[in-house]
């Protein structure tokens, strides 16, 4: 399109007076600058330093970034995937709990709803803390089986009320013994 525009401008400018040609050139340049002017805020993809530290660790383990969520295009559980949190995986190269997969059957996402404590962490404003979420042995075994080594809470994505952290920090500290 830009090549076609350049040839068109050249042809138009060759057939007009110099002042009119300069005016047409100025208008075309202004339109082009306005078109490419960044009008929407860009996503800050500055990777927090903790991910570089994690990247340097060897071993097969998983990172649970909170908020967490899954989206199938038809169904969302938890917070819809936040692209920057997924982007951080390109730095640390470890397994994560989140994603967007088109047309994934809902029962695949429901799997995560059945994991003790994880279902609450995914939707702390909408979920009740269940008895199984308070069972230290069950939750610790489950998170160990899932190879969760780090739980990172990105507080800037949480709001007060429905989309708040709820009791997440308390449960992570008391049930999993995390700091």
């Amino acid at each position: 399109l830009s090549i076609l525009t350049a040839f068109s401008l050249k042809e138009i400018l060759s057939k007009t007076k110099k002042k009119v040609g300069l005016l047409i050139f100025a208008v075309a340049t202004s339109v082009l600058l306005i078109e490419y002017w960044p009008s929407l805020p860009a996503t800050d993809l500055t990777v927090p330093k903790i991910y570089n530290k994690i990247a340097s660790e060897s071993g097969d383990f998983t990172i649970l970034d909170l908020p967490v969520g899954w989206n199938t295009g038809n169904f969302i559980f938890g917070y819809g995937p936040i692209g920057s949190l997924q982007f951080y995986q390109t730095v640390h190269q470890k397994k994560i709990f989140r994603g967007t997969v088109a047309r994934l059957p809902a029962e695949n996402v429901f799997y995560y709803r059945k994991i003790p404590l994880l279902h609450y962490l995914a939707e702390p404003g909408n979920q009740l803390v269940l008895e199984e979420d308070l069972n230290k042995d069950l939750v610790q075994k489950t998170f160990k089986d899932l190879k969760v080594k780090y739980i990172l809470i990105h507080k800037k994505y949480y709001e007060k009320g429905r989309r708040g952290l709820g009791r997440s920090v308390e449960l992570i500290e008391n049930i999993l013994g995390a700091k």
Side-chain angles (χ1 to χ4, degrees):
L1 185 61
S2 61
I3 294 172
L4 183 60
T5 303
F7 280 121
S8 299
L9 273 175
K10 180 183 175 194
E11 188 65 29
I12 291 169
L13 294 176
S14 70
K15 295 182 179 181
T16 61
K17 295 182 180 177
K18 188 173 183 177
K19 286 185 178 182
V20 174
L22 285 173
L23 180 64
I24 292 171
F25 179 76
V27 169
T29 302
S30 298
V31 168
L32 188 63
L33 288 173
I34 290 169
E35 179 68 26
Y36 287 100
W37 191 264
S39 59
L40 298 174
T43 301
D44 179 13
L45 293 178
T46 305
V47 179
K49 292 178 183 176
I50 186 69
Y51 290 105
N52 293 314
K53 180 181 181 286
I54 292 170
S56 68
E57 293 185 38
S58 61
D60 179 29
F61 58 88
T62 305
I63 298 171
L64 174 57
D65 284 298
L66 298 178
V68 65
W70 298 268
N71 180 1
T72 70
N74 298 320
F75 180 79
I76 295 177
F77 172 55
Y79 285 79
I82 299 168
S84 59
L85 297 182
Q86 290 176 242
F87 173 75
Y88 298 156
Q89 186 184 28
T90 63
V91 173
H92 62 70
Q93 299 289 309
K94 305 298 180 191
K95 297 173 192 166
I96 60 172
F97 287 95
R98 74 174 45 260
T100 301
V101 181
R103 296 174 296 282
L104 184 71
E107 57 267 11
N108 291 25
V109 177
F110 288 145
Y111 164 80
Y112 295 102
R113 280 189 140 161
K114 296 175 185 174
I115 297 175
L117 189 57
L118 185 61
H119 77 94
Y120 178 82
L121 297 176
E123 293 185 325
N126 295 337
Q127 300 291 329
L128 297 174
V129 178
L130 303 177
E131 188 175 321
E132 65 184 17
D133 299 329
L134 300 174
N135 183 331
K136 275 187 176 184
D137 293 333
L138 176 63
V139 173
Q140 288 177 359
K141 181 188 179 320
T142 302
F143 276 61
K144 183 179 179 184
D145 291 346
L146 294 170
K147 299 180 182 179
V148 176
K149 184 172 183 178
Y150 291 100
I151 300 175
L152 303 174
I153 301 173
H154 301 271
K155 292 182 179 180
K156 69 180 182 179
Y157 293 111
Y158 287 99
E159 304 166 8
K160 291 183 178 177
R162 185 177 167 274
R163 287 288 191 183
L165 269 165
R167 295 179 57 195
S168 298
V169 174
E170 169 198 345
L171 292 169
I172 291 168
E173 289 174 349
N174 293 338
I175 304 300
L176 291 172
K179 298 175 184 169

